[in-house]
């Protein structure tokens, strides 16, 4: 149940952990949007700016590459597809397929942007409690009319609570099936059946127990409002984030112009 | 005798096929340590769920301070704290402190008061050092104590524990027994449901026995009922079989 993957919350006391979740959410949105226009140089600056934060989570570039390797493969394929489809000056050609300079540049750029968005998402996920995520959603939705923000918050928190439970159950069921040589079965329908039926049963039972336990502890929609615990560095982060975005936009005038004009 | 906190009055819960509990009667008084014993399937969990109105009885009812438990569900559930058998499916918080705060948040308690009470409760139950840990990473015994803390923080009159010793190793069981015992000495009313009475029988002030048909067949002092445990499918404690009157490790 407690396997700590790259994208799950990791308790800690770093500056990012202490940052108010609303500010953090805002910064993530701002940076991701800026990355949408970012040129190559802007991406590099962004990565350099993020690197101390990555290090503060005890991760290095090598960790990132190792853990995101499946995803990186996807990015390479994406970049390669660009490299061969975008017309332009050929750099070299393999088996009549021309690789163009423009294609290569665009492909790398798209891959770099995706990679950065991934890193930002990871930093957010690793340093943000699921409960805070729910609080932030509730806070951002509160001024929006016709959206019952407390109920949305409740739905988010229920989902966040049940999801790891289902994953844990899936793992246990798979182990139990494999222990009885279930994985040697050739028939895929049977294999799926032997996995999903017990899983479904267990999940429903676990959900039943969880909802009973929550009812027994007076679960209600009218709860104490979420607490936000600003760590005191919100202003610095906001200014630095805004500065970074501005700098990135200025460095990427080319692509901004291409998109808007 | 003072007024009972809880009165269980001709309570029956029939499942299809004749299982369930039938015509249960007993009262719970302040400060008692009640052991509810019975083999698997005797209806302990079913009975316990009725105590804070998580189930609807087929007939009969339960009164809390003289009023039906269903009259004010919030009050009932706050007054009777329930620690369920499966530790993993009753933990809802992302950290130990949040887990303990959950009940108070539901009662719409102000945030500052929540913080204070959570800290108090964690130190009362010796979990302060784990305050910021992810509950999923705790040991079985720690999870069980966390579940108790989550209930205790709401100041219940009665704490009900369902099979608290299941799946615990010996040191964790001992630690848990000490915790429960300390709470009871501080005046907390306790009900423990278990199929194995070994750990707690000498500490309990009263023993209720459910037979495998779901009937309440005995209600009395633990020491006087030791001899008839086997007859109802409950393992007689070791010390009693060996002819001692109290377990050697407690004297
Ligand atoms: N939802 C249900 N539907 C039908 N029968 C049930 C249900 N829950 C429990 N039972 C039956 O009621 C009896 C008592 O169960 P339970 O209260 O879980 O016993 P215990 O906790 O003492 O092991 C068992 O025979 C069980 O099979
Ligand atoms: Mg049970």
């Amino acid at each position: 149940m407690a396997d700590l993957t790259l994208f799950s919350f990791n308790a800690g006391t770093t500056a990012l952990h202490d940052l108010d979740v609303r500010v953090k959410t805002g910064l993530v949105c701002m940076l991701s949007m800026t990355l949408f226009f970012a040129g190559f140089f802007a991406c590099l600056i962004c990565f350099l700016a993020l690197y101390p934060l990555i290090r503060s989570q005890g991760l290095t570039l090598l960790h990132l590459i190792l853990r995101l390797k499946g995803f990186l493969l996807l990015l390479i394929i994406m970049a390669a597809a660009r490299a061969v489809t975008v017309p332009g000056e050929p750099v070299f050609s393999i088996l009549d397929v021309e690789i163009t300079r423009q294609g290569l540049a665009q492909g790398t750029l798209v891959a770099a942007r995706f990679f950065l968005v991934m890193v930002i998402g990871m930093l957010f996920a690793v340093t943000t409690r699921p409960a805070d995520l729910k609080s932030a959603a509730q806070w951002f939705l509160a001024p929006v009319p016709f959206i019952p923000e407390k109920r949305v918050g409740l739905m988010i928190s229920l989902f966040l609570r049940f999801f790891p439970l289902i994953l844990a159950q899936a793992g246990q069921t798979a182990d139990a099936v494999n222990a009885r040589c279930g994985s040697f079965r050739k028939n895929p329908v049977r294999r799926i059946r032997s996995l999903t039926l017990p899983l479904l049963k267990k999940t429903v039972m676990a959900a039943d127990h969880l909802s009973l336990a929550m009812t027994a502890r007076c679960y209600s929609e009218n709860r104490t409002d979420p607490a936000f615990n600003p760590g005191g560095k919100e202003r610095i982060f906001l200014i630095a984030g805004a500065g970074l975005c501005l700098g990135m936009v200025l460095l990427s005038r080319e692509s901004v112009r291409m998109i808007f004009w | 005798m003072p007024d009972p906190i809880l009165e269980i009055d001709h309570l029956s819960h029939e499942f299809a096929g004749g299982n369930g509990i039938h015509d249960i009667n007993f009262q719970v008084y302040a400060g008692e340590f009640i052991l509810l014993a019975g083999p698997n399937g005797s209806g302990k969990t079913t009975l316990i769920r009725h105590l804070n109105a998580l189930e609807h009885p087929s007939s009969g009812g339960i009164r809390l301070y003289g009023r039906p438990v269903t009259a004010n569900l919030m009050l009932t559930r706050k007054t009777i704290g329930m620690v369920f058998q499966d530790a993993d499916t009753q933990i809802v918080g992302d950290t130990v402190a949040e887990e303990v705060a959950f009940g108070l948040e539901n009662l719409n308690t102000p945030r500052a008061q929540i913080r204070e009470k959570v800290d108090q409760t964690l130190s009362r139950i010796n979990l302060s050092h784990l305050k910021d840990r992810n509950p999923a990473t705790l040991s079985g015994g720690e999870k069980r104590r966390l579940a108790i803390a989550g209930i205790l923080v709401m100041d219940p009159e009665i704490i009900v524990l369902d099979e608290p010793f299941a799946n615990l190793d010996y040191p964790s069981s001992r630690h848990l027994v000490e915790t429960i015992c300390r709470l009871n000495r501080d005046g907390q009313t306790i009900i423990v449901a278990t199929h194995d009475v070994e750990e707690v029988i000498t500490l309990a002030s009263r023993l209720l026995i459910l037979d495998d048909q779901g009937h309440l067949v005995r209600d009395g002092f633990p020491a006087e009922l030791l001899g008839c445990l086997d007859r109802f499918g409950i393992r007689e404690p070791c010390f009693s079989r060996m002819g001692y009157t109290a377990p050697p490790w407690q004297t």
Side-chain angles (χ1 to χ4, degrees):
Chain A
M1 185 131 179
D3 56 334
L4 302 170
T5 58
L6 199 54
F7 279 90
S8 59
F9 174 67
N10 207 347
T13 53
T14 64
L16 274 185
H17 281 90
D18 289 343
L19 192 61
D20 189 307
V21 59
R22 293 164 295 180
V23 173
K24 222 185 313 187
T25 314
L27 285 175
V28 167
C29 294
M30 217 157 76
L31 265 179
S32 313
M33 279 191 300
T34 313
L35 274 171
F36 185 67
F37 331 105
F40 202 76
F41 198 49
C43 284
L44 189 68
I45 296 289
C46 179
F47 183 74
L48 290 179
L50 287 177
Y51 200 68
L53 298 178
I54 297 172
R55 288 296 329 219
S56 77
Q57 301 309 312
L59 297 166
T60 62
L61 187 57
L62 190 67
H63 279 119
L64 283 184
I65 292 174
L66 284 179
R67 302 227 207 145
L68 289 174
K69 57 180 182 284
F71 182 73
L72 286 178
L73 193 70
L74 197 72
L75 287 185
I76 290 170
I77 293 172
M78 248 168 60
R82 286 273 172 141
V84 296
T85 51
V86 174
E89 264 172 68
V91 184
F92 56 91
S93 63
I94 316 164
L95 304 172
D96 285 347
V97 180
E98 284 194 339
I99 306 222
T100 64
R101 202 168 65 83
Q102 284 83 350
L104 220 54
Q106 272 193 29
T108 325
L109 186 58
V110 169
R113 288 174 183 163
F114 263 96
F115 178 73
L116 282 169
V117 169
M118 206 71 182
V119 169
I120 291 169
M122 182 213 72
L123 284 174
F124 183 76
V126 167
T127 59
T128 310
R129 295 204 167 92
D132 286 344
L133 202 67
K134 177 214 123 194
S135 312
Q138 201 171 318
W139 189 83
F140 279 110
L141 286 177
V144 183
F146 306 118
I147 292 189
E149 73 276 0
K150 286 207 169 178
R151 191 164 305 169
V152 173
L154 181 139
M155 274 152 62
I156 295 176
S157 61
L158 281 183
F159 175 76
L160 291 173
R161 267 157 210 173
F162 280 102
F163 195 65
L165 210 64
I166 294 172
L167 286 185
Q169 303 279 5
Q172 283 175 14
T173 307
D175 288 347
V177 170
N178 288 341
R180 286 173 288 166
C181 303
S183 54
F184 297 137
R185 275 192 193 282
K186 290 283 183 321
N187 184 338
V189 175
R190 282 195 156 219
R191 279 181 65 164
I192 288 176
R193 230 185 58 171
S194 65
L195 199 65
T196 45
L197 283 188
L199 177 61
L200 200 65
K201 186 173 159 224
K202 270 184 164 181
T203 308
V204 170
M205 298 252 294
D208 195 38
H209 286 157
L210 186 56
S211 68
L212 263 183
M214 286 165 66
T215 312
R217 286 165 76 186
C218 306
Y219 199 50
S220 72
E221 239 176 70
N222 182 26
R223 322 183 65 223
T224 307
D225 280 330
F228 295 104
N229 310 307
K233 294 195 185 127
E234 280 67 29
R235 200 164 299 199
I236 301 173
F237 267 93
L238 269 179
I239 293 171
L244 177 63
C245 289
L246 193 67
M248 284 167 65
V249 171
L250 289 178
L251 282 172
S252 325
R253 272 162 305 185
E254 269 306 286
S255 38
V256 172
R257 202 174 306 134
M258 252 166 57
I259 288 168
F260 287 108
W261 284 277
Chain B
M1 205 141 188
D3 286 342
I5 303 179
L6 262 187
E7 294 166 84
I8 291 87
D9 184 20
H10 295 286
L11 183 79
S12 296
H13 187 118
E14 322 273 349
F15 288 116
N19 287 332
I21 48 175
H22 312 285
D23 197 29
I24 308 282
N25 291 286
F26 67 95
Q27 281 95 36
V28 180
Y29 294 91
E32 280 193 304
F33 187 152
I34 298 180
L35 199 54
L36 177 64
N40 284 335
S42 56
K44 304 181 294 294
T45 302
T46 309
L47 174 55
I48 279 176
R49 283 180 182 178
H50 278 285
L51 297 186
N52 67 359
L54 292 171
E55 303 263 7
H56 298 288
S58 312
S59 64
I62 300 179
R63 284 189 303 276
L64 174 66
Y65 297 122
R67 300 181 57 209
V69 283
T70 46
N72 182 347
L73 286 176
M74 205 72 154
L75 178 74
T76 299
R77 291 177 180 153
K78 188 186 156 323
T79 312
I80 303 169
M82 192 77 58
V83 178
F84 292 90
Q85 177 168 0
D86 186 9
D88 281 319
T89 52
Q90 62 183 302
I91 290 176
V92 291
D94 302 307
T95 65
V96 167
E98 264 170 42
E99 165 64 17
V100 178
F102 179 75
L104 292 177
E105 285 176 356
N106 291 333
L107 298 177
N108 219 341
T109 314
R111 187 59 65 179
Q113 205 176 324
I114 292 183
R115 289 215 182 88
E116 191 183 323
K117 292 202 80 170
V118 166
D119 284 343
Q120 270 174 15
T121 309
L122 284 176
S123 70
R124 223 177 133 188
I125 215 114
N126 292 332
L127 285 174
S128 295
H129 57 295
L130 300 173
K131 195 170 180 228
D132 293 313
R133 275 273 288 278
N134 177 351
T137 64
L138 300 184
S139 75
E142 287 163 345
K143 277 183 191 163
R144 209 60 59 103
R145 278 188 292 135
L146 174 58
I148 295 178
I151 296 301
L152 199 60
V153 76
M154 296 168 83
D155 288 327
E157 285 295 325
I158 304 179
I159 295 186
V160 186
L161 300 109
D162 195 1
E163 305 276 6
F165 305 106
N167 293 327
L168 289 193
D169 62 12
Y170 179 62
S172 307
S173 295
R174 286 300 297 273
H175 198 155
L176 187 59
V177 168
E178 275 163 30
T179 305
I180 296 175
C181 218
R182 191 152 38 79
L183 290 176
N184 183 237
R185 270 202 308 272
D186 293 346
Q188 183 75 55
T189 312
I190 306 258
I191 301 178
V192 171
T194 179
H195 67 275
D196 186 3
V197 298
E198 182 87 48
E199 286 96 343
V200 273
I201 190 143
T202 52
L203 307 167
S205 60
R206 188 167 156 203
L207 177 64
L208 304 179
I209 301 179
L210 279 176
D211 71 1
D212 53 4
Q213 304 299 312
H215 297 281
L216 182 62
V217 286
R218 290 287 186 282
D219 178 352
F221 289 114
E224 291 169 5
L225 294 174
L226 282 173
C228 68
L229 285 171
D230 266 344
R231 195 182 331 149
F232 298 112
I234 304 160
R235 191 165 59 98
E236 193 180 336
C238 239
F239 68 85
S240 162
R241 261 179 293 158
M242 293 180 352
Y244 295 99
T245 49
W249 43 268
Q250 272 196 358
T251 48

